[in-house]
Amino acid sequence: MKVLFLSVPTGQGHHQTAKAVQEYLAGQPEVTCEFLDVVDNTSTLLAEYLQKGYLLSTTKTPRVYGTIYDMADRRDATKASGLGRVVKSILNKKLFEYIKAYNPDIIVATHLISAMAFTYLRKKHEIRAKAIAIVTDFTFHPFWEDTKMDYYITASELLEYQAIKKGHPAERIKPFGIPIQPHFADKQSKEDVRRQLGIEDKFTVLVMMGSMGYGSSTLETVRTLNRMNEDFQLITVCGNNKKLKNSIDRMTKYKPIVNYGYTNQVATLMDAADCIITKPGGLSTSEALAKNLPIIMLDPIPGQEDRNKEFMLNNGIALSVSETFPVTEAVYQLIHHPFKAEMLKHNIRHIAKPYAARDVGQFMAELYKSMKKE
């Protein structure tokens, strides 16, 4: 079985999703995988726009981004979007040459732009490969309506109605979850992990940034928590935001604060924590859910992360900070009223998909078997 993963450079989540499935398939006999960043390999101009333009829109002009998202969500789904036309004009030729040379059995798109590109390509050329899209949020981005894949991997069964409403037949929807690294399915005791990390065995709050650097209120959140009277400690993960890390390092600390920049120990840090404060990104949320870790949502990116927040609130698996419900109140409740955390954990058990990478890989293997019989 030959598998080709297609993604684009907008944060690490889409690449990491592909990597998680690749790692599962690496242990299977007679399977080969290749990964292609369709933008980096076809259009330097579009790659720069996606990397810098997306970051600018979500950090400098988030309301504008959210407005555009909402307009797209309300548009006539029968008409091609402007983004779709751009993708069609730029990506097709080189992408088709790559696919023709590799000749995969299954193509997996982990970003809607790569799914768009493949959709337009398949309208022009005969491609024998089965096409799978992995939707990496707890919602269907409106531009998914510009795609036509054979199957869509979704985060939850609860997205089925939304998918059908947006024109995707129920038989194409496979709610295996957002694929994450397998070690997030493993759970270590808090006491053991805290001992390994050399930190105190007490209530622990994990604060995490997203890989794209969004999260302007994170520093103020840490400062506010640092001044609370309750006895707890903080673990902060700043990702690639060096300015934030330096600011936290220089803070006057009234509580123990262990401050990380980029780290590959996220699964371990989640095991050490009693709750996580993070923005509601699809991948990071899926990782926390796999760990059965109560989530306090902060700074959603307008658009898809607003929809992620709605999903989690409506299903009782996370708390959301607002002007009238500050982060201090959320943490206070979790410390002093343990039933609140247990309520969240109970609901999380119904939503979490810790073995999504395995389930997607097994589905692909079964799909390949059925293709050979045809």
Side-chain angles (χ1 to χ4, degrees):
M1 181 173 72
K2 296 174 70 175
V3 182
L4 175 61
F5 291 88
L6 303 177
S7 191
V8 301
T10 56
Q12 292 299 310
H14 303 284
H15 287 11
Q16 290 299 319
T17 294
K19 185 178 178 182
V21 181
Q22 276 185 281
E23 286 191 7
Y24 171 79
L25 292 174
Q28 307 306 307
E30 299 182 356
V31 177
T32 59
C33 298
E34 286 196 10
F35 175 88
L36 178 69
D37 186 318
V38 298
V39 177
D40 273 350
N41 285 274
T42 55
S43 172
T44 303
L45 180 64
L46 186 55
E48 186 173 355
Y49 167 77
L50 286 170
Q51 289 170 323
K52 295 182 180 179
Y54 179 84
L55 180 59
L56 179 65
S57 68
T58 55
T59 57
K60 304 299 183 184
T61 56
R63 290 185 180 178
V64 173
Y65 177 82
T67 299
I68 293 171
Y69 185 100
D70 290 340
M71 289 172 61
D73 214 8
R74 293 191 295 268
R75 73 184 172 90
D76 183 350
T78 63
K79 298 179 180 179
S81 67
L83 177 60
R85 289 190 292 272
V86 171
V87 171
K88 179 180 179 181
S89 64
I90 292 178
L91 298 183
N92 277 6
K93 185 177 179 181
K94 288 186 178 180
L95 179 58
F96 178 67
E97 290 173 354
Y98 190 98
I99 291 173
K100 187 177 179 181
Y102 182 53
N103 192 27
D105 300 296
I106 296 175
I107 291 175
V108 183
T110 62
H111 192 284
L112 70 91
I113 288 179
S114 56
M116 277 182 177
F118 179 77
T119 297
Y120 288 120
L121 200 63
R122 194 155 64 169
K123 288 179 181 178
K124 291 178 61 178
H125 305 280
E126 185 176 345
I127 300 174
R128 71 177 185 87
K130 291 292 185 181
I132 298 173
I134 300 179
V135 181
T136 56
D137 284 294
F138 289 83
T139 184
F140 266 85
H141 192 293
F143 290 126
W144 279 113
E145 295 163 17
D146 286 359
T147 70
K148 189 174 181 180
M149 309 292 276
D150 296 307
Y151 299 98
Y152 293 84
I153 309 299
T154 62
S156 171
E157 297 85 346
L158 299 175
L159 295 177
E160 183 177 312
Y161 177 80
Q162 188 182 133
I164 294 171
K165 189 177 178 182
K166 290 180 178 290
H168 304 293
E171 61 270 18
R172 292 188 181 185
I173 306 304
K174 302 296 177 182
F176 297 130
I178 300 172
I180 56 177
Q181 298 297 315
H183 54 265
F184 284 96
D186 300 328
K187 185 74 174 164
Q188 301 181 67
S189 73
K190 287 181 173 55
E191 295 79 7
D192 290 343
V193 174
R194 289 168 184 171
R195 192 180 307 112
Q196 293 171 27
L197 295 173
I199 62 176
E200 296 181 56
D201 186 16
K202 63 165 70 174
F203 195 95
T204 303
V205 178
L206 173 61
V207 183
M208 277 186 56
M209 285 287 294
S211 64
M212 295 294 282
Y214 187 72
S216 58
S217 65
T218 303
L219 179 58
E220 184 55 35
T221 295
V222 175
R223 286 173 173 163
T224 302
L225 293 171
N226 187 41
R227 293 192 293 266
M228 286 183 70
N229 293 327
E230 278 62 38
D231 182 24
F232 64 90
Q233 62 192 345
L234 288 160
I235 299 174
T236 53
V237 179
C238 304
N240 297 317
N241 193 328
K242 295 180 181 178
K243 183 178 179 181
L244 175 65
K245 184 178 186 307
N246 290 337
S247 296
I248 295 175
D249 284 338
R250 293 195 300 266
M251 277 176 49
T252 300
K253 297 176 178 62
Y254 304 105
K255 298 187 184 306
I257 301 178
V258 182
N259 189 29
Y260 293 84
Y262 177 81
T263 176
N264 57 7
Q265 296 188 70
V266 171
T268 301
L269 300 181
M270 286 184 176
D271 280 333
D274 292 282
C275 66
I276 181 172
I277 299 172
T278 186
K279 69 187 191 69
L283 190 72
S284 58
T285 296
S286 296
E287 292 168 349
L289 294 177
K291 290 292 188 182
N292 201 224
L293 186 62
I295 301 167
I296 301 172
M297 296 179 289
L298 179 74
D299 279 353
I301 293 174
Q304 63 267 35
E305 290 191 358
D306 276 337
R307 305 302 195 277
N308 289 347
K309 182 180 77 172
E310 286 180 358
F311 178 90
M312 286 185 274
L313 284 177
N314 287 336
N315 290 290
I317 58 175
L319 306 178
S320 181
V321 171
S322 66
E323 289 186 8
T324 54
F325 186 69
V327 67
T328 48
E329 185 168 352
V331 171
Y332 181 96
Q333 288 185 1
L334 293 176
I335 291 174
H336 292 287
H337 305 288
F339 78 87
K340 186 84 176 235
E342 289 306 315
M343 179 176 65
L344 293 170
K345 290 179 179 181
H346 173 80
N347 293 335
I348 286 171
R349 292 186 188 101
H350 293 281
I351 304 295
K353 306 280 189 181
Y355 302 104
R358 178 202 65 190
D359 294 343
V360 171
Q362 290 178 351
F363 170 72
M364 290 163 61
E366 291 300 318
L367 182 60
Y368 175 65
K369 288 180 183 178
S370 66
M371 291 169 63
K372 290 180 69 176
K373 293 178 182 178
E374 293 176 358

